[in-house]
Amino acid sequence: MLSDAASRQHFLEGGRRDWDAFFEACGDDPLIDEVAQLLELLDPKLRIVLLTGRPLRVQPQTLAWLERYHLRWDLLIMRDYGDYSVAREFKRRSVDELRDYGFDLRLAFEDDRRNLAMFRAEGIPCVYIHSGYYD
């Protein structure tokens, strides 16, 4: 939800969804400036976990993108190879794992209303950020 993936949406429209091309193009996404500003305003003592449904195979593009925009983050969690579960299930499992590791999850930002509902059901306050991506 830091990046605006609207320009990649055409890969998922029509009869056949090209998920490979959709994710491969992720390094070209523009930044959502307001969300980047939110990260900068957070208390420096807080740890920022980036939890994305992107597959691990696009980690190089993702890391380069984060570096290009000089974004603050502490932990990046991406979908493992062979994990084709829906995003909310992947993120729910990741929430469980983070808690098992002792993370006190205080707030989430999300642009998918299905994930917003999942975070709230898990007792994590979640702010919805409209990206236009899921409309």
Side-chain angles (χ1 to χ4, degrees), residues 37-50 71-75 102-109 125:
Q37 184 63 39
L38 274 171
L39 290 178
E40 291 303 316
L41 294 173
L42 294 174
D43 186 330
K45 295 176 188 169
L46 294 174
R47 297 294 153 239
I48 297 174
V49 177
L50 301 180
L71 294 171
R72 180 181 156 211
W73 61 280
D74 297 291
L75 176 62
F103 281 82
D104 178 16
L105 305 174
R106 297 188 178 190
L107 182 64
F109 298 98

Side-chain angles (χ1 to χ4, degrees), residues 10-133:
H10 65 93
F11 291 116
L12 305 180
E13 295 171 348
R16 186 173 186 279
R17 294 181 174 194
D18 189 347
W19 286 103
D20 288 338
F22 175 79
F23 284 119
E24 288 300 322
C26 69
D28 299 326
D29 291 351
L31 176 68
I32 299 175
D33 293 320
E34 295 83 358
V35 180
Q37 184 63 39
L38 274 171
L39 290 178
E40 291 303 316
L41 294 173
L42 294 174
D43 186 330
K45 295 176 188 169
L46 294 174
R47 297 294 153 239
I48 297 174
V49 177
L50 301 180
L51 175 56
T52 178
R54 291 178 180 187
L56 196 55
R57 67 182 163 75
V58 295
Q59 186 181 51
Q61 296 96 309
T62 302
L63 291 172
W65 187 91
L66 290 166
E67 178 65 27
R68 179 171 54 244
Y69 289 109
H70 309 287
L71 294 171
R72 180 181 156 211
W73 61 280
D74 297 291
L75 176 62
L76 173 63
I77 300 173
M78 301 179 76
R79 198 185 306 240
D80 203 0
Y81 295 101
D83 182 349
Y84 300 107
S85 61
V86 295
R88 82 182 154 277
E89 184 58 31
F90 160 72
K91 289 187 176 188
R92 190 198 54 71
R93 282 193 320 268
S94 297
V95 163
D96 290 343
E97 291 172 6
L98 286 165
R99 286 178 168 155
D100 288 345
Y101 281 107
F103 281 82
D104 178 16
L105 305 174
R106 297 188 178 190
L107 182 64
F109 298 98
E110 183 59 61
D111 66 344
D112 183 336
R113 292 183 193 275
R114 296 164 294 190
N115 294 331
L116 172 88
M118 180 278 300
F119 281 117
R120 289 179 176 168
E122 291 293 321
I124 302 166
C126 189
V127 176
Y128 174 72
I129 304 291
H130 177 74
S131 68
Y133 174 57

